[in-house]
Amino acid sequence: MTSSTSAVRTPVGDRPATGPAARGMRHVSEPAPLPEIPVPSDQDGIDLLRVEIDAADAEIVRLIQRRTALSQAIGQARKSLGGPRIVYSREMAILDRFRALGPAGTDLGMLLLAMGRGKLGRK
């Protein structure tokens, strides 16, 4: 496995590096490699992987619910402050993050954005 050096950035001037790179995270345009999962050799092994999938699905649903609530709170705050509920440059940055998953990732990002927007134009 090779290590990525693009996540390390040199600070500008005397300012410390900030953002995902400073926290050791990959740059958003770099797809993370899929973890290597040993292929099961029997039904018990398949069943164990399905238990992991079920746990991952439960965590994904919990995170989506949290993300949706956060996004809706931001939209309400922006509206009460007189700003737009949607900031398209922010949405494009979010979609860039999901492009690492391919075309289906972009679709997923669009679905998450739509869930976070809630009922636009309705009270």
Side-chain angles (χ1 to χ4, degrees):
M1 185 183 288
T2 60
S3 64
S4 171
T5 58
S6 65
V8 178
R9 294 186 184 157
T10 305
V12 176
D14 292 333
R15 294 179 301 173
T18 59
R23 294 187 299 270
M25 297 171 62
R26 294 181 176 276
H27 186 272
V28 293
S29 64
E30 280 184 56
L34 289 176
E36 292 185 29
I37 306 292
V39 176
S41 59
D42 58 15
Q43 188 60 46
D44 287 341
I46 292 171
D47 292 342
L48 285 173
L49 291 183
R50 286 184 174 154
V51 168
E52 281 196 58
I53 286 174
D54 292 345
D57 286 348
E59 183 69 2
I60 290 166
V61 168
R62 185 190 69 75
L63 290 169
I64 290 171
Q65 289 171 331
R66 174 75 177 157
R67 187 196 188 289
T68 299
L70 291 166
S71 182
Q72 289 179 357
I74 289 168
Q76 289 173 3
R78 291 186 59 77
K79 184 178 179 184
S80 71
L81 295 170
R85 285 185 62 196
I86 298 174
V87 178
Y88 291 103
S89 61
R90 170 74 179 153
E91 290 198 355
M92 292 300 104
I94 290 166
L95 289 176
D96 282 345
R97 191 175 304 139
F98 283 91
R99 281 191 184 95
L101 299 173
T106 303
D107 293 343
L108 174 60
M110 290 295 293
L111 288 170
L112 291 171
L113 289 171
M115 291 174 74
R117 287 184 199 122
K119 298 175 182 174
L120 293 176
R122 298 183 191 149
K123 294 189 183 207

